[in-house]
Amino acid sequence: AIVLFKTVHKYYNQEVILDGSVIAAALFSFITMTVLSILVGVLLGLLVSYIYKHTSISEFPKLEASLLYLFCYLCYATAEAFGLSGIMALFFNGVVLSHYNSYNLSTTAQTTTEQFFATVAVTMESIVFLYMGLSVFTGRFENWDIMFSLLGLLFCLIARALN
């Protein structure tokens, strides 16, 4: 959704006429940004896993855990610096690291990183829901549609039930 938003935002202009060439360019931009974001995340995840496997960093658990956090931020910052989706790159970096790098961490670093990332995830989720809840009272609702709200709630419940 983030890559799609960035693509649509780049081509959003009242003066641009949507013809075949603009739609093809937007589709190419969307696919390119998606593939390159995934590639950045996967490659940096593999690089980090290689570094952790072939060094003796596990002898220093505090440094090991700290570097893991910094490598995750490096992935996000690298993707954003190239104009890609940092969140998508970070997601795929996390998938690769959880699959390949978790075995290379010491037990102390495994426990530390697991607890740290779980705590950060819960905290950020709470902040997002707090922000969304407060926006109900501060938002402007000139075009508010009850049917849209009810359908949104219905689709959320269906998605939650299927999950």
Side-chain angles (χ1 to χ4, degrees), residues 26-93:
L27 186 62
F28 179 74
S29 174
F30 173 76
I31 292 171
T32 303
M33 188 181 294
T34 301
V35 169
L36 290 177
S37 298
I38 292 170
L39 195 64
V40 166
V42 168
L43 289 179
L44 284 175
L46 290 174
L47 176 68
V48 170
S49 296
Y50 182 82
I51 289 170
Y52 272 73
K53 183 173 183 161
H54 295 291
T55 60
S56 58
I57 197 168
S58 61
E59 297 172 9
F60 309 99
K62 291 179 187 175
L63 180 64
E64 185 180 23
S66 300
L67 281 177
L68 187 62
Y69 309 142
L70 291 175
F71 280 129
C72 291
Y73 180 70
L74 173 72
C75 176
Y76 175 82
T78 302
E80 287 292 329
F82 287 116
L84 304 171
S85 173
I87 293 175
M88 183 177 276
L90 186 61
F91 174 76
F92 281 95
N93 186 16

Side-chain angles (χ1 to χ4, degrees):
I2 294 168
V3 176
L4 183 61
F5 174 78
K6 282 185 176 184
T7 304
V8 170
H9 188 266
K10 184 167 57 172
Y11 289 98
Y12 178 75
N13 190 349
Q14 299 295 339
E15 300 164 1
V16 174
I17 299 171
L18 290 178
D19 59 353
S21 64
V22 174
I23 293 173
L27 186 62
F28 179 74
S29 174
F30 173 76
I31 292 171
T32 303
M33 188 181 294
T34 301
V35 169
L36 290 177
S37 298
I38 292 170
L39 195 64
V40 166
V42 168
L43 289 179
L44 284 175
L46 290 174
L47 176 68
V48 170
S49 296
Y50 182 82
I51 289 170
Y52 272 73
K53 183 173 183 161
H54 295 291
T55 60
S56 58
I57 197 168
S58 61
E59 297 172 9
F60 309 99
K62 291 179 187 175
L63 180 64
E64 185 180 23
S66 300
L67 281 177
L68 187 62
Y69 309 142
L70 291 175
F71 280 129
C72 291
Y73 180 70
L74 173 72
C75 176
Y76 175 82
T78 302
E80 287 292 329
F82 287 116
L84 304 171
S85 173
I87 293 175
M88 183 177 276
L90 186 61
F91 174 76
F92 281 95
N93 186 16
V95 169
V96 169
L97 287 178
S98 70
H99 186 71
Y100 291 109
N101 198 44
S102 62
Y103 305 110
N104 300 327
L105 294 174
S106 64
T107 52
T108 306
Q110 280 180 353
T111 305
T112 303
T113 55
E114 218 174 272
Q115 292 300 316
F116 177 78
F117 285 128
T119 303
V120 168
V122 168
T123 304
M124 293 302 123
E125 186 177 300
S126 299
I127 289 172
V128 166
F129 285 125
L130 182 67
Y131 180 74
M132 289 171 57
L134 290 176
S135 69
V136 169
F137 300 110
T138 60
R140 295 183 183 98
F141 300 107
E142 292 94 20
N143 298 327
W144 189 70
D145 185 13
I146 187 71
M147 193 61 175
F148 179 77
S149 299
L150 292 174
L151 284 174
L153 179 64
L154 176 69
F155 291 138
C156 285
L157 291 173
I158 291 171
R160 187 71 184 200
L162 292 176
N163 189 12

